[in-house]
Amino acid sequence: MSNEQTPAEPEVMEPAFWRRNGWSARVIKNEEDDGWAVEIRKQGIPEPVLISPWVMGRDKKNPKPFDATAFATFVKTASEVLDRSARQRDQAMTKKLSIAWEGRWYEVRVELVPDEYDPHALLSAIDDAGETVAKHRVPANYKFTRDIANAWVRGGFSEP
């Protein structure tokens, strides 16, 4: 993945398609019934972030046109979906345990590093002052249990 910025796309505000600030919303035919849906996309993400039902217009045949309020609501909801997904992914990639030893508390973590060519994990300990006291690279399949974390802390954080 490159670090280059994708050029900003021009703003569009049409009845069935809006694009602004890296987000787009397009009215599409709802495949599940006779109605309409809105597909919300974020620039740089290939799949839609959100697909939501959309209302019929006054003629009960065509979709209601977009407005600024509807667009802002969809973007807010889609942003929340992305945030929730990122939090779940982070939680799945990190395991944590709190370990007490010699009057101090340590948060012991194993964080998976999903490298395509060299997957691995990082085993670390953070003391109760928030300082990282040890960090070691371990295999991606490193077995992480309370007993193992306790032994590592009591052993002085030596390389596993």
Side-chain angles (χ1 to χ4, degrees):
M1 184 190 260
S2 98
N3 287 337
E4 292 179 34
Q5 288 285 338
T6 306
E9 295 176 328
E11 281 191 9
V12 176
M13 287 175 254
E14 297 173 355
F17 179 71
W18 276 47
R19 181 173 52 217
R20 179 188 254 172
N21 298 329
W23 289 94
S24 66
R26 177 184 310 277
V27 175
I28 58 174
K29 189 74 177 136
N30 188 340
E31 301 296 329
E32 313 229 342
D33 64 22
D34 293 334
W36 299 93
V38 176
E39 176 183 85
I40 311 299
R41 291 179 175 267
K42 173 104 172 122
Q43 186 176 0
I45 299 176
E47 296 294 318
V49 174
L50 177 70
I51 297 178
S52 180
W54 185 239
V55 293
M56 296 277 199
R58 290 187 182 162
D59 65 3
K60 301 295 181 208
K61 209 163 65 172
N62 294 308
K64 179 182 172 187
F66 273 130
D67 59 26
T69 303
F71 183 76
T73 300
F74 280 122
V75 167
K76 180 180 185 290
T77 303
S79 293
E80 291 167 354
V81 167
L82 285 178
D83 290 346
R84 210 170 23 254
S85 176
R87 276 194 307 276
Q88 288 172 340
R89 190 174 48 251
D90 289 347
Q91 288 172 348
M93 302 291 283
T94 304
K95 301 208 182 323
K96 302 176 190 176
L97 289 171
S98 292
I99 305 292
W101 177 244
E102 295 184 339
R104 298 193 71 181
W105 280 95
Y106 299 94
E107 181 179 272
V108 179
R109 298 180 182 180
V110 171
E111 299 171 71
L112 292 175
V113 179
D115 186 300
E116 183 178 348
Y117 301 105
D118 185 20
H120 59 279
L122 297 173
L123 173 66
S124 61
I126 298 153
D127 67 15
D128 46 15
E131 297 293 320
T132 299
V133 294
K135 188 178 243 180
H136 298 287
R137 180 185 170 121
V138 294
N141 64 351
Y142 182 76
K143 186 171 180 168
F144 185 63
T145 66
R146 180 162 298 281
D147 289 342
I148 289 171
N150 268 315
W152 184 59
V153 171
R154 288 183 170 100
F157 311 103
S158 60
E159 190 161 346

